Every structure is written in C-alpha cells, then in structure tokens.
C-alpha cells in the first residue's frame, strides 16, 4: 500500500516479493545452467549447475518417513516475534521509539507464556529476531557501535539484517551486558517446558554494518580479508562495485525514521567500495525497494553464475549425512562456507535445536549439503527448515541439500488463500497437494507468518473465522509440520500502521504492541483473561485442532481425499435419495446433494486409527449434506453405526448399503467437524 504523501515510492510491506525475480536477474542472470524456467515440479529437472535432480523419493526419504511414523503426531512450530511478543505497551505511535512503544524481552517469555504456547501442541518455538541485527538505539556503553538509520529499515530494524551472528539483539535483554546469558536462560526454560528452540540463520546476506564483537577464538569478521580491488574472488565474503562508493537510496516522499531527527540521519553511509546489495542488486546506489540495508554473501558463485567449487553428483540425493560429510572434507571451499558452518555449530553448542534458513534458494544447494550434513553429525535431531519458493527446486534442496522441511507456499498456501477469499476451488487444493505427495512430510504448512498477511486483515479474509476451516485442512491433511504465528490463534489483524511497512502484516521493522495478543497476555498471565469472547472461542478451536495434529497417530497415516467422489456424486445426483439424518435421527428424501467446491471432506488413516474431517469454507450453512465414503476407509473392521466427534459436538450416523457408506451432515457457515474413525 503506498505510503501517504508519496508519489513514486512504495515501502515494501515485507522482504520477499522480488526475491524470485532477483535470483534470475542478478547473481545468476548470465548462468546457462539456471533452472528458473517453466519446469514442472515433478520429474527429472536440472539443478542450478546442470545436474539431474532427484525425481523419485530415495531411500533416505523412506527412512525419514519411517522415523516420522514412529512418533505420535507431528511437529508443530510456533513462530514468536521476540521483540513484540511480551510487550505490554499499547501506545503504538507510528515510528515510535523504544521508549514510546516499548519492547518485549526474553524474560517476558516465562513459564506461563511457554505453557500457553505448549497448549497449542507446540513442539518447536521459533524465536524470530534473536541474532543481533542493526538497531537504532544507543548501546555504545556496551561497546556496540552505532547503526546508521539511513541503512536501517524502520525504527527497530529488520531482523534479517544481522550485525553480529555470535550475540543477540540487545533490545531483548533486561541487561544488555548479559544479553547472551538471558537468551541461554530462555533456551533452558523452553526445554524445561517440553519444547525445542529454533532461531534464524540468514545465509544470503548480512547487515551493511556487520561487525561481530563476540567472535570466538580463531574466527574473523565477514569481509576481514577481502580483496576489494576486484568484483569477485572465491574467498571474498562479499561482491564489490569496484572504485565506486555506496550511495544511500532515495525516493520521493520517503524520510528516514519518518522524518525524526537523528545525528546519523544525513542521507550518507560510508562504504567504499560499495558492496552488492543483499538481493543481488549490483549498483553502487541500490533502488529503494532493494534490500539496501544488507549486503550479498559470496559462496563462490561467479558474477556470470558459474560455480567456483566442486558440484555435488546427483547420486548423493540417496546418500547419508555422513557420506555428504565425507564428500566435502577433503575439498577446498569458499571462506563463507566455513564462516556459516562455525556460526551454526556455535548456536548448537548453546542449546539451540534447529534453524529456519531465510531465502535458502538464493544460496547454492552444495553449500546446504556441506552445512546440513555437518549439523546432523553433531545434532541428529536438529530441525532444519528452509524458505524455498521454487517448486522445481524442492527435491534438490531436500535430497541434495539435506533440508528437513521447506515452506509449502507456492502451491498449498497460495491455493488455500484463494479458497478462504472465496475465489478458489477445493479441487485445485487437492491437485496441488497431490503434486508433492512424494515429499509431503517435508513440506511445512502455514496460514500466517511474518511475511504474510494476517488472516483477519481486510486485504486477506477480513475475519479470523474464515481461517478456521483452513486451519483444519492445513494442519490435518498431511504429516507435514504446521507453523502457527503468534497472535494467529486469537485473530490478530495486523492493522497497525507503525511506520516502515504496510498494515495487514504485523510490523517486523518497528516497535509495537500487538492488540489481540496483548489481550490474551492479560498482563503477563497468558490466560486469555482479557480476550473477547470471539477470541476465546477461536483460541479454543485452535487448541482442539492442534491437539489432533500434535497427538493423533493418524496424521502420519494415509491421506484419503473424499472430495472427488462426493463432488461427482453431487453433480450426478438428480434423483431423491433416502438416508439417515445424523442430526435429527430421522429419514428424509433429498432432491439433490449440495456438496460443492466450498466443502472439503477427507480422511487420515493409519493401521490402527483414523479420523474424518468435514469442513465448510462458505459463510453460508449447508443443510443435510449427503456424504459418501468408500467401505475401504474402515479397513477390515466392522463399519460402525455412529462416529464420535473429535471436534464439534455432532455425532455422525452411518448407513452402509451396496458397498458404500452414506451419511447426512449439516454444517454451519465456516464450521469444521472431525470424527474418530
């Protein structure tokens, strides 16, 4: 959304819209081996370096699935934006300072908070914004250099412009001198509450002002030994615009810090020679919509897109972590590889249990093989989640790059969003889900995160209630992990215009309070005591759905779509049918079936247990909807006359005739029912 009084500048509401285009147009623009063409997400696809990708699930994936099936339920990740989570200040002044609007602290995330997070079935807490990134506040008494607001986005700074990978954001500590110890205490509290800890690693870029004050012995800062007289050298950490100084981007109407005065807000930032910008932009003066607060990391990819390191043979898609480690151990590799390996190992040693990798697709698959295999050798249960938006690369990043999980955005989320908005069809969702069925356990599902619009925002669905059927489908359709974003469970709408970035997404650049979440916090009790009745009801629904996702063994069983058979039956059924009404206990004739593209029925079935999900994406009720189930759904057991509810209070009466099981069910608008098989 354009910012007021600006005619030529639109503040990016989040960091990702140009990412895929930049991959093509900048760093890999001249590569003959790039794969950003119209390739299909299945089958044999070339990788970035021209090698054959893994088109079939190899034995390692079978082992992954087997291990997953031994667990009860599946992973549930709760993303918590640390700066905002515990903040009780409600001022919400646009471009407000930390004194104006307050800030959440590590200490705010106490046992009460963690217990409320655990109640959503959470297995992993993703603490977003923990590594020390560029901020505006003065921490010079702790030896921390000032950050120039001309290359900091917002008043509080982007969490993805990391300034020091070996320490944490001083804003988050009660005593900035002890900030690392305070985060270590939070790690310990999280473990004591039965959950694991994930933090961000942003391998593609760092802050322009990167300067680690906490380097372990033997480590050096990024760029420390770079030859700045050349655009590229294999062991340079950055790319350079030779003989040109960096210029701060400008745009009509944009004012740093919203126009507030600051001694360093002078439109200048000293950097000579200029470095390539984080999204790959090569100009000394990047565009205002580029990721100008960051600089691109060099992994040995030459400016023409060719590689300055050994490529990984395609057969390594089927090899173990240890075999990947062995492949790399005698190779000479770019310096940046070793720097990020040291960073990841450092945090593992601090007790962190895994990482969410920002924009992983902008970094070569080979690097991920190198890094992730080394992580898995040190911590076999480490949780490795990557942000990848190109379906043609999914299997390479899983099998060759050794990622545990990838975002299922381009496909599942994007299609589900259209259904929630009333324009999409459930059949399309079933189709995109089937397209990645071979890697479904690796594909993380979400409805919200820090990059996406809040469900309740006017630009998305306009109501958190419309997220209820979507939650049931997203969380229960497969064994993929589910991600919840803080405030999602109480209908936060992201409506605050806090400065840098558009409303509809809760700000990640400025200090703010998050109103619906603050009501749930209830002055530190984290019990929903100040929530509205609608918010309490929504939270209860989330807890019921996520309890199934986290604890029911059938979520790791087979997915059985009941959509096609019921949609076809509805379209073909022009004659009355006589069946038992499950809600009234009577029989009646139906002129036709009213199942449509706005309803979705499916089942999950393991060897010993199962459940059926029936959802209504429409705001209008559906009365006496006829559903049919194949008898095979009930395995070899006797078909019961009644199914008991897991969600909702309705029971489901079944009528078995001529090899088909039928029932009638009435759904209110946006209602979801789940029945035990």
């Amino acid at each position: 959304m354009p910012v007021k009084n600006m005619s030529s500048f639109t503040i990016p509401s989040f960091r990702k819209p140009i990412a895929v285009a930049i991959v093509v147009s900048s760093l890999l623009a001249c590569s003959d081996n790039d794969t950003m063409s119209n390739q299909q997400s299945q089958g044999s696809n070339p990788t970035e370096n021209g090698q054959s990708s893994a088109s079939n699930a190899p034995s390692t994936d079978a082992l992954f699935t087997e291990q997953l099936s031994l667990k009860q339920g599946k992973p549930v990740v709760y993303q918590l934006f640390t700066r905002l989570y515990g903040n009780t200040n409600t001022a919400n002044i646009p471009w407000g300072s930390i004194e104006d609007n307050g800030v959440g602290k590590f200490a705010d995330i106490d046992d009460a908070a963690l217990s409320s997070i655990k109640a959503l079935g959470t297995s992993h807490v993703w603490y977003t914004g923990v590594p020390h990134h560029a901020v505006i506040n003065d921490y010079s008494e702790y030896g921390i250099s000032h950050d120039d607001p001309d290359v900091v986005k917002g008043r509080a700074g982007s969490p993805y412009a990391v300034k020091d990978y070996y320490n944490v954001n001083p804003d988050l500590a009660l005593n900035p001198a002890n900030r690392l110890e305070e985060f270590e205490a939070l790690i310990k509290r999280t473990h004591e509450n039965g959950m694991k800890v994930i933090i961000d690693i942003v391998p593609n870029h760092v802050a322009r002002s990167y300067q680690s004050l906490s380097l372990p012995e033997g480590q050096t800062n990024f760029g420390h030994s770079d030859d700045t007289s050349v655009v590229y050298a294999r062991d340079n950490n950055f790319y350079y615009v030779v003989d040109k100084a960096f210029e701060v981007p400008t745009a009509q109407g944009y004012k740093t810090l919203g126009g507030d005065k600051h001694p360093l807000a002078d439109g200048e930032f000293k950097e000579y020679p200029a470095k390539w910008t984080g999204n790959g932009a090569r100009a000394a003066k990047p565009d205002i919509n580029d990721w100008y607060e960051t600089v691109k990391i060099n992994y040995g990819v030459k400016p023409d897109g060719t590689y300055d390191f050994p490529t990984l043979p395609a057969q390594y898609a089927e090899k173990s972590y240890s075999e990947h480690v062995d492949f790399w151990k005698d190779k000479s590799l770019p310096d940046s590889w070793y720097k990020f390996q040291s960073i990841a190992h450092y945090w593992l040693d601090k007790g962190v249990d895994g990482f969410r990798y920002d924009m992983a697709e902008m970094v070569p698959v080979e690097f991920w093989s190198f890094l992730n295999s080394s992580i898995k050798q040190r911590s076999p249960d480490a949780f490795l989640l990557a942000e990848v938006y190109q379906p043609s690369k999914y299997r390479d990043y899983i099998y060759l790059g050794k990622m545990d999980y990838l975002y299922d955005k381009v496909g599942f989320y994007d299609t589900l969003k259209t259904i929630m908005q009333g324009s999409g069809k459930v059949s399309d969702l079933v189709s995109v889900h089937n397209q990645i069925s071979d890697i479904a356990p690796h594909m993380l599902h979400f409805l919200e995160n820090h990059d996406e619009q809040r469900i309740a925002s006017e630009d998305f669905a306009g109501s958190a209630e419309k997220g209820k059927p979507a939650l049931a489908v997203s969380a229960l359709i497969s064994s993929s992990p589910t991600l919840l974003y803080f405030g999602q469970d109480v209908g936060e709408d992201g409506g605050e215009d806090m400065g840098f970035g558009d409303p509809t997404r809760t700000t990640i650049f400025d200090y703010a309070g998050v109103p619906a979440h603050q009501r749930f916090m209830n002055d530190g009790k984290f019990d929903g005591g100040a929530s509205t009745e609608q918010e309490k009801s929504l939270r209860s629904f989330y807890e019921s759905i996520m309890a199934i996702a986290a604890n029911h063994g059938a979520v790791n069983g087979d997915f059985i779509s009941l959509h096609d058979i019921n949609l076809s039956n509805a379209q073909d059924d022009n004659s009355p049918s006589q069946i038992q009404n499950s809600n009234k206990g009577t029989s009646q004739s139906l002129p036709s079936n009213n199942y449509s593209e706005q309803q979705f029925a499916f089942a999950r079935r393991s060897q010993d247990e199962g459940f059926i999900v029936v959802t209504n994406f429409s705001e209008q009720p559906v009365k006496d909807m006829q559903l049919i189930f194949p008898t095979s759904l009930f395995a070899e057991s006797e078909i019961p006359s009644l199914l008991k509810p897991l969600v909702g209070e309705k029971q489901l009466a079944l009528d078995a005739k001529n090899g088909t099981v039928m029932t009638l069910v009435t759904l209110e608008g946006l209602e979801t029912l789940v029945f035990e098989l």
Side-chain angles (χ1 to χ4, degrees), residues 365-379:
V365 166
E366 278 80 0
F367 166 74
W368 294 116
S369 161
F370 166 79
L371 178 65
N372 289 340
S373 60
S374 75
I375 289 173
K376 290 292 190 176
Q377 276 212 327
R378 293 171 69 98
S379 181

Side-chain angles (χ1 to χ4, degrees), residues 35 38-47 51-58 314 317 390-397 399-400 434-439:
T35 61
N38 295 322
Q39 296 175 17
Q40 298 300 314
S41 62
Q42 300 218 21
S44 180
N45 300 317
T47 63
Q51 301 198 19
S52 175
S53 76
S55 60
N56 298 311
Q390 300 174 64
S392 65
K393 295 186 178 183
Y394 285 170
R395 290 160 184 81
D396 284 342
Y397 278 83
Y399 299 135
L400 292 172
N434 288 338
Q435 288 172 15
I436 51 88
S437 59
D438 60 310
I439 55 172

Side-chain angles (χ1 to χ4, degrees), residues 445-490:
H445 286 177
F446 60 86
L447 300 180
E448 292 185 355
N449 61 47
H450 69 281
D451 282 328
E452 305 298 341
Q453 294 173 320
R454 292 285 193 176
I455 296 167
S457 69
E458 289 301 321
D459 287 355
F460 188 161
S463 166
E465 295 296 305
K466 292 184 180 179
K468 292 168 76 172
L471 176 74
V473 171
S474 178
L476 302 180
I477 196 172
S478 79
S479 56
S480 63
T482 297
L483 169 69
L484 302 176
Y485 191 35
F486 87 105
Q488 176 184 340
D489 54 297
V490 288

Side-chain angles (χ1 to χ4, degrees), residues 163-434:
K163 175 178 178 173
D164 184 351
Y165 261 116
Y166 290 102
N167 217 313
V168 299
N169 181 359
D171 277 355
L172 306 178
L174 296 173
N175 180 357
N178 297 329
R179 59 194 184 278
L180 190 56
E181 290 81 358
E182 290 189 31
F183 180 57
E184 290 173 329
L186 176 57
I187 294 173
K188 183 174 183 290
R189 283 198 302 278
T190 307
H191 289 165
E192 289 172 345
N193 279 273
M195 295 174 289
K196 296 184 177 182
V197 171
I198 301 170
I199 64 169
D200 286 282
I201 287 184
V202 188
N204 180 63
H205 49 268
V206 295
R208 286 200 179 271
S209 56
Y210 192 93
Q211 183 188 27
S212 176
L213 300 176
S214 311
L215 284 168
E217 186 176 353
Q219 297 297 317
T220 58
N221 272 311
F222 286 97
H224 173 77
S225 302
D226 280 11
D227 178 359
T228 62
S229 69
V230 296
V231 173
Y232 165 86
R234 191 198 73 162
D235 290 317
N236 277 0
N237 299 131
F238 304 125
Y239 301 88
Y240 293 91
V241 186
V242 177
D243 296 331
K244 291 187 178 180
F246 172 77
E247 297 180 57
V248 174
T250 55
Q252 182 179 355
Y254 175 66
K255 297 180 180 179
T256 299
L257 299 182
D260 287 354
K261 293 187 180 300
H262 187 281
L264 296 178
D266 56 4
E268 297 182 0
F269 178 76
K270 292 182 179 180
E271 179 183 284
Y272 184 88
K275 302 179 180 75
W276 286 16
T277 295
N279 58 335
R282 305 180 183 193
K285 182 178 181 178
D287 185 84
I288 194 70
N289 291 300
D290 287 329
W291 306 345
Y292 64 84
E293 79 280 23
T294 68
V295 289
K296 175 81 177 173
I297 295 291
N298 167 26
Y299 284 90
V301 180
K302 299 176 183 179
D304 67 359
T306 59
Y307 288 177
D308 211 353
F309 51 81
T311 55
L312 190 66
Q315 61 265 31
Y316 272 76
E318 301 189 25
K319 293 188 182 294
S320 66
Y321 300 120
S322 60
E323 288 173 301
H324 279 244
V325 170
D326 288 342
F327 177 84
W328 296 112
K329 69 181 180 182
D330 61 350
K331 305 293 191 298
S332 175
L333 301 170
D335 181 72
S336 297
W337 292 37
Y338 299 111
K339 276 186 165 58
F340 268 101
Q341 183 187 59
S342 297
I343 289 164
H345 290 184
Y346 171 85
W347 287 109
L348 291 174
D349 292 343
K350 291 290 184 185
V352 168
D353 303 292
F355 305 105
R356 179 267 187 187
Y357 296 129
D358 185 79
M359 289 310 295
E361 65 191 340
M362 297 182 79
V363 177
V365 166
E366 278 80 0
F367 166 74
W368 294 116
S369 161
F370 166 79
L371 178 65
N372 289 340
S373 60
S374 75
I375 289 173
K376 290 292 190 176
Q377 276 212 327
R378 293 171 69 98
S379 181
D381 292 331
F383 186 99
L384 305 178
L385 168 64
E387 186 181 26
V388 175
Y389 294 135
Q390 300 174 64
S392 65
K393 295 186 178 183
Y394 285 170
R395 290 160 184 81
D396 284 342
Y397 278 83
I398 292 168
Y399 299 135
L400 292 172
K402 294 301 179 187
M403 295 295 183
D404 290 330
Y405 307 105
L406 309 178
Y407 279 30
D408 197 349
K409 170 181 162 52
V410 181
F412 195 85
Y413 167 82
D414 286 346
T415 305
L416 187 55
K417 183 174 183 178
T418 66
I419 297 170
M420 297 165 70
Q421 293 174 322
S423 61
K425 298 189 296 185
V426 168
S427 292
D428 293 336
L429 187 71
V430 176
S431 176
V432 298
H433 181 62
N434 288 338

Side-chain angles (χ1 to χ4, degrees), residues 504-524:
T504 76
R505 298 170 180 87
T506 297
T507 179
I508 66 168
F509 302 110
D510 292 289
Y511 299 109
V514 183
H517 172 67
Q518 287 178 322
R519 290 191 288 273
F520 176 80
M521 285 169 57
N522 192 23
D523 200 26

